[in-house]
Amino acid sequence: MSAAKIKKGDTVVILSGKDKGKSGEVTKSLPRDGKVVVAGINIMTRHKKPSQTDPNGGLEKIEAPMAVSKVALADPKDGKPTRVGFKVLEDGRKVRVAKRSGEVING
């Protein structure tokens, strides 16, 4: 299994779709499906039927998963979208590196 380029907690920039140009934090990663959930992005409205636990029902706003190909990691230096590379440090740790600036990505 290859290392994940985008993980939970990363700040990403949206590359396409209705939220293009916005940025947010990854709240959930779904690597099997190739999708991520980003806070405040790709908001969908779900119609909830009244039930015993929620007697009013109504509209519920949820963050829907989106394809990982539609997001790019935000560069830690300037916040612009960047590609991700990998580098092995002298102490043997494998870390993610921003291709735009060469900065090591924490996490």
Side-chain angles (χ1 to χ4, degrees):
M1 187 96 168
S2 63
K5 293 192 176 190
I6 296 179
K7 298 179 179 181
K8 181 180 175 180
D10 286 344
T11 302
V12 293
V13 178
I14 310 305
L15 300 176
S16 65
K18 63 183 181 184
D19 295 316
K20 181 179 179 176
K22 293 182 183 176
S23 62
E25 186 179 330
V26 176
T27 55
K28 191 175 189 181
S29 178
L30 307 165
R32 271 208 155 129
D33 302 330
K35 295 180 183 268
V36 290
V37 177
V38 183
I41 306 292
N42 201 23
I43 301 293
M44 299 292 161
T45 305
R46 171 172 272 153
H47 295 260
K48 295 288 278 188
K49 230 176 170 180
S51 64
Q52 282 191 335
T53 56
D54 184 19
N56 293 332
L59 301 176
E60 181 184 79
K61 303 243 183 229
I62 59 165
E63 295 151 349
M66 63 189 312
V68 75
S69 62
K70 291 185 176 241
V71 300
L73 198 72
D75 195 322
K77 212 171 205 178
D78 58 5
K80 293 183 179 175
T82 183
R83 291 176 295 141
V84 179
F86 293 94
K87 187 177 181 182
V88 178
L89 300 177
E90 292 82 34
D91 60 355
R93 289 186 307 137
K94 183 178 178 182
V95 293
R96 295 181 297 157
V97 177
K99 291 279 193 174
R100 180 183 280 269
S101 64
E103 294 269 322
V104 174
I105 300 162
N106 56 354

